[in-house]
Amino acid sequence: MKVLVIGSGAREHALVRALLVDPAVDAVVAAPGNPGIDVVALCVPVDAQDPQAVTDLAREHGVDLVVVGPEAPLVAGVADAVRAAGIACFGPDRAAATLEGSKAFAKEVMAAAEVPTALAHVARTEAELAEALDAFGAPYVVKDDGLAAGKGVVVTDDRGAALAHGLACLAKGDDAQVVVEEFLDGPEASLFCICDGQRVVPLDLAQDFKRVFDGDEGPNTGGMGAYSPLDWAPEGLVDDVVARVAQPVVDEMRRRGAPFVGVLYVGLALTSRGPRVIEFNVRFGDPETQSVLARLATPLGGLLHAAAQGRLGEVEPLRWREQASVTVVVAAAGYPASPSTGDPIGGLELVGDTDTYVLHAGTAAGPDGTVVSAGGRVLSVVSLGADLDEAREHAYAGVAKVELEGSHHRTDIALRAARGEIRTPR
């Protein structure tokens, strides 16, 4: 099988890495890819949000499966075009991708499927926004209705800051709307569910870290690190989420004539009232994917191909490595407000064994062939260990070898979990 992976970040680097160790995968092409992926797979420049360009590329290289990494190409209809050309595609079509493209639509689907989630108001005017903020009170949770690269949410006790974020979302266009939600207590967890339009196969749980600084301080980011598994999670949580969330949503989307094929990312808050859905994404999350795929022993290519062809019922139970995995994101100077780019990166060759390795995210090839920073989140350092303590030790030893002027990272990824300090509300 020959696979085309669409995207250019650390998530796509993790997908390519996992696909290449699948005995059924002969070759992987990435579009557009990045310098790290280019070392192990063919990278081809393409506009990832151009459905026709992606389809033409898939035909040109005779691929058997297209895997779409980011959300924007899915919302743009790339999967629709690839499937129309008769090529298997792992990723939802445009209609199903609206689950991430519009948080208001996701709330509508959850209501129809009776999925437990936060109460919410959809506001279209400043008056409706202010009324919703006052109805829920602090802490205020305000979400951009559309795609925002994981940074469209503000959670704050400052009503002025919440109002300002909501108004900025509404200023994006005449049809803009913003979602205001009740605050959900309890720790958060992420669950990726592989779907084939009818069936759901869950991966293992992970937890990510959105705030830029230690102790969950500072602004939201695309994610500063992650770990898996979650030994503190209640027993039976994955089965419960599949039964009460993922399967009902897949059933509802099929009923609406938009079968969901791809990854349904379920962001959860484990509250005192039980699990509640924070949000859906329609693709693998970054950086959780890096840790989850590091632990997956089942060949990834066969799993994704089965989902793309509606054959998840034939898949054997998934196998997992017993090790824990920790991912630490190395961010550019100034991230997230104004990340520095074009800075040379050194030390990458020092982090490359099977248990600790670097995945490229915001990188590019410099004029002299060196690797330079090209985005806010520059690298993911991924590690495996016998437990979270060992995985953390390996990950941070790897981070210490990376040379990038002004870079920063969180030092507390998975720390509370390793110490046994995370508790779910009763």
Side-chain angles (χ1 to χ4, degrees), residues 369-394:
T370 59
V371 178
V372 300
S373 60
R377 294 186 297 165
V378 181
L379 304 167
S380 286
V381 179
V382 185
S383 69
L384 288 164
D387 53 26
L388 285 177
D389 281 321
E390 186 174 277
R392 276 177 43 80
E393 180 183 348
H394 291 170

Side-chain angles (χ1 to χ4, degrees), residues 172-223:
K172 292 183 176 180
D174 294 339
D175 297 328
Q177 51 191 10
V178 64
V179 177
V180 182
E181 293 186 352
E182 66 170 329
F183 177 77
L184 297 175
D185 63 337
E188 295 183 7
S190 303
L191 181 66
F192 300 140
C193 294
I194 308 297
C195 310
D196 69 357
Q198 297 187 62
R199 304 167 196 84
V200 174
V201 173
L203 301 185
D204 212 345
L205 291 162
Q207 186 180 59
D208 76 331
F209 296 75
K210 288 293 188 189
R211 301 281 186 169
V212 69
F213 299 128
D214 285 6
D216 292 328
E217 297 291 334
N220 267 347
T221 70

Side-chain angles (χ1 to χ4, degrees), residues 1 18-27 297-302 319:
M1 172 164 63
L19 287 165
L20 285 171
V21 298
D22 183 340
V25 175
D26 297 318
T298 295
L300 182 65
R319 295 179 287 109

Side-chain angles (χ1 to χ4, degrees), residues 1 3 19 64-67 88-90 300-312 315:
M1 172 164 63
V3 184
L19 287 165
D64 304 287
L65 174 67
V66 175
V67 177
C89 184
F90 183 79
L300 182 65
L303 176 63
L304 302 188
H305 199 219
Q309 294 185 324
R311 298 185 290 104
L312 278 181
V315 171

Side-chain angles (χ1 to χ4, degrees), residues 69-287:
E71 62 274 25
L74 295 169
V75 173
V78 164
D80 307 59
V82 170
R83 287 196 184 93
I87 302 169
C89 184
F90 183 79
D93 61 20
R94 189 199 307 262
T98 310
L99 278 172
E100 181 170 358
S102 169
K103 291 177 177 62
F105 175 77
K107 286 291 185 182
E108 176 190 319
V109 170
M110 282 188 265
E114 299 182 348
V115 167
T117 186
L119 298 174
H121 289 305
V122 178
R124 297 175 178 83
T125 66
E126 181 176 356
E128 291 176 350
L129 171 61
E131 182 180 354
L133 292 173
D134 293 337
F136 284 125
Y140 303 100
V141 181
V142 184
K143 298 181 176 182
D144 192 333
D145 179 59
L147 298 180
K151 292 173 282 189
V153 181
V154 163
V155 181
T156 178
D157 289 322
D158 184 338
R159 186 182 183 280
L163 182 64
H165 178 67
L167 291 176
C169 296
L170 292 176
K172 292 183 176 180
D174 294 339
D175 297 328
Q177 51 191 10
V178 64
V179 177
V180 182
E181 293 186 352
E182 66 170 329
F183 177 77
L184 297 175
D185 63 337
E188 295 183 7
S190 303
L191 181 66
F192 300 140
C193 294
I194 308 297
C195 310
D196 69 357
Q198 297 187 62
R199 304 167 196 84
V200 174
V201 173
L203 301 185
D204 212 345
L205 291 162
Q207 186 180 59
D208 76 331
F209 296 75
K210 288 293 188 189
R211 301 281 186 169
V212 69
F213 299 128
D214 285 6
D216 292 328
E217 297 291 334
N220 267 347
T221 70
M224 294 297 292
Y227 68 93
S228 178
L230 308 188
D231 291 339
W232 51 264
E235 187 176 353
L237 176 62
V238 170
D239 291 340
D240 185 40
V241 173
V242 170
R244 299 177 61 201
V245 178
Q247 191 64 59
V249 166
V250 168
D251 292 342
E252 175 65 16
M253 293 302 290
R254 188 173 69 253
R255 187 190 68 79
R256 291 171 177 242
F260 190 94
V261 177
V263 177
L264 180 64
Y265 164 103
V266 183
L268 297 162
L270 307 186
T271 77
S272 54
R273 294 175 292 154
R276 294 288 185 272
V277 174
I278 300 171
E279 66 173 349
F280 289 139
N281 291 334
V282 298
R283 36 71 189 185
F284 283 108
D286 182 346

